[in-house]
Amino acid sequence: MPRREPPGTVATNRRARHDYEILETIEAGVVLRGSEVKTLREGKASLQDAYAVLDGNDIVLHMQIPAYSHTGYDGHEPTRARKLLLHRKQIDQLAARIKERGLTLVPLRIYFKGQLVKVELGLARGKRAYDKRQSLAKREAER
């Protein structure tokens, strides 16, 4: 049975749930340029090698959004860092948890919520090889 995605979803990072144990999810806005939003509306984005990092007092998303097909000379850089919009208190809490426990921020999906582009971040801990085998065996048993 194919996996159903919520409406408005542009891209999902299915590999993240295999490689990481997701402890908590956070919704954040993304600062984008016009041509980037148009590209996302076309459904052309990849979270394959995407990651989020703490950069000073901000959280920054590194992902690839290809150039818009109908743009002129003033397009956007496909791999530029994009600032995430979160409240200061949320950023401080995430920064503390990332530094303290060795957790990481993994983008799980990017989607439209009305007119706004949002990214779902997962606060995650990396799985070891035996953890991955256990989760595969569990999924097969449930099937």
Side-chain angles (χ1 to χ4, degrees), residues 23-24 93-104 123-126 128:
L23 305 174
E24 181 182 335
Q93 288 173 350
L94 286 173
R97 290 184 72 181
I98 289 170
K99 289 177 185 173
E100 175 187 326
R101 299 186 190 149
L103 302 177
T104 186
L123 191 61
R125 176 181 294 120
R128 304 243 173 11

Coordinates of all heavy atoms in Angstrom, one line a residue, residues 23-24 93-104 123-126 128:
L23 N 12.8 12.1 17.8 CA 12.4 12.3 19.2 C 11.3 13.3 19.3 O 10.4 13.2 20.1 CB 13.5 12.7 20.1 CG 14.7 11.8 20.1 CD1 15.9 12.4 20.9 CD2 14.4 10.4 20.6
E24 N 11.3 14.3 18.4 CA 10.4 15.4 18.5 C 10.3 16.1 17.1 O 11.3 16.1 16.4 CB 10.9 16.4 19.5 CG 10.0 17.6 19.8 CD 10.6 18.6 20.8 OE1 11.4 18.1 21.7 OE2 10.3 19.8 20.7
Q93 N 16.0 26.7 23.1 CA 15.8 25.3 23.6 C 16.4 24.3 22.7 O 17.0 23.3 23.2 CB 14.3 25.1 23.8 CG 13.6 25.8 24.9 CD 12.1 25.7 24.9 OE1 11.5 25.2 23.9 NE2 11.5 26.1 26.0
L94 N 16.2 24.5 21.4 CA 16.8 23.5 20.4 C 18.4 23.5 20.5 O 19.0 22.5 20.5 CB 16.4 23.8 19.0 CG 14.9 23.5 18.7 CD1 14.6 24.0 17.3 CD2 14.7 22.0 18.7
A95 N 18.9 24.7 20.6 CA 20.4 24.8 20.7 C 20.9 24.1 21.9 O 21.9 23.4 21.9 CB 20.8 26.3 20.7
A96 N 20.2 24.2 23.0 CA 20.7 23.6 24.3 C 20.6 22.1 24.1 O 21.5 21.3 24.5 CB 19.8 24.0 25.4
R97 N 19.5 21.6 23.5 CA 19.3 20.1 23.4 C 20.4 19.5 22.4 O 20.8 18.4 22.6 CB 17.9 19.8 23.0 CG 16.9 20.0 24.1 CD 15.6 19.6 23.8 NE 15.4 18.2 23.7 CZ 14.3 17.5 23.4 NH1 13.2 18.2 23.1 NH2 14.3 16.2 23.4
I98 N 20.7 20.3 21.3 CA 21.6 19.8 20.3 C 23.0 19.7 20.9 O 23.7 18.7 20.7 CB 21.6 20.8 19.1 CG1 20.3 20.6 18.3 CG2 22.8 20.5 18.2 CD1 20.1 21.6 17.2
K99 N 23.4 20.8 21.7 CA 24.8 20.8 22.3 C 24.9 19.8 23.4 O 25.9 19.1 23.6 CB 25.1 22.2 22.8 CG 25.3 23.2 21.7 CD 25.6 24.5 22.3 CE 25.7 25.6 21.1 NZ 25.7 26.9 21.6
E100 N 23.8 19.7 24.2 CA 23.9 18.8 25.4 C 23.9 17.4 25.1 O 24.7 16.6 25.6 CB 22.7 19.2 26.3 CG 22.5 18.4 27.6 CD 21.2 18.7 28.3 OE1 20.8 19.9 28.3 OE2 20.6 17.8 28.8
R101 N 23.0 16.9 24.3 CA 22.7 15.5 24.1 C 23.3 14.9 22.8 O 23.1 13.7 22.5 CB 21.3 15.2 24.2 CG 20.7 15.5 25.5 CD 19.2 15.1 25.6 NE 18.6 15.7 26.8 CZ 17.3 16.0 26.9 NH1 16.6 15.8 25.8 NH2 16.8 16.4 28.0
G102 N 23.9 15.7 22.0 CA 24.4 15.2 20.7 C 23.3 14.9 19.7 O 23.5 13.9 19.0
L103 N 22.2 15.6 19.7 CA 21.2 15.4 18.8 C 21.4 16.3 17.6 O 22.2 17.1 17.6 CB 19.8 15.8 19.4 CG 19.5 15.0 20.7 CD1 18.2 15.5 21.3 CD2 19.4 13.5 20.5
T104 N 20.6 16.0 16.5 CA 20.7 16.8 15.3 C 19.3 17.2 14.8 O 18.3 16.5 15.1 CB 21.5 16.0 14.2 OG1 21.7 16.8 13.1 CG2 20.8 14.7 13.8
L123 N 13.9 16.6 15.6 CA 15.0 16.5 16.6 C 15.4 15.0 16.7 O 14.6 14.2 17.2 CB 14.7 17.1 17.9 CG 15.8 17.3 18.9 CD1 16.8 18.3 18.3 CD2 15.2 17.8 20.2
A124 N 16.6 14.6 16.2 CA 16.8 13.2 16.0 C 18.1 12.7 16.6 O 19.1 13.5 16.7 CB 16.8 12.9 14.5
R125 N 18.2 11.4 16.8 CA 19.4 10.8 17.3 C 19.7 9.7 16.2 O 18.8 9.0 15.8 CB 19.2 10.1 18.6 CG 20.4 9.3 19.1 CD 20.2 8.7 20.5 NE 20.0 9.7 21.5 CZ 18.9 9.9 22.3 NH1 17.9 9.1 22.1 NH2 18.9 10.8 23.2
G126 N 20.9 9.6 15.8 CA 21.3 8.7 14.7 C 21.1 7.2 15.2 O 21.4 6.9 16.4
R128 N 22.1 3.2 15.0 CA 23.2 2.3 14.7 C 22.7 1.2 13.8 O 21.5 1.1 13.6 CB 23.8 1.7 16.0 CG 24.2 2.7 17.0 CD 25.7 2.6 17.3 NE 26.3 3.5 18.1 CZ 25.9 4.5 18.9 NH1 24.7 4.7 19.0 NH2 26.7 5.2 19.6

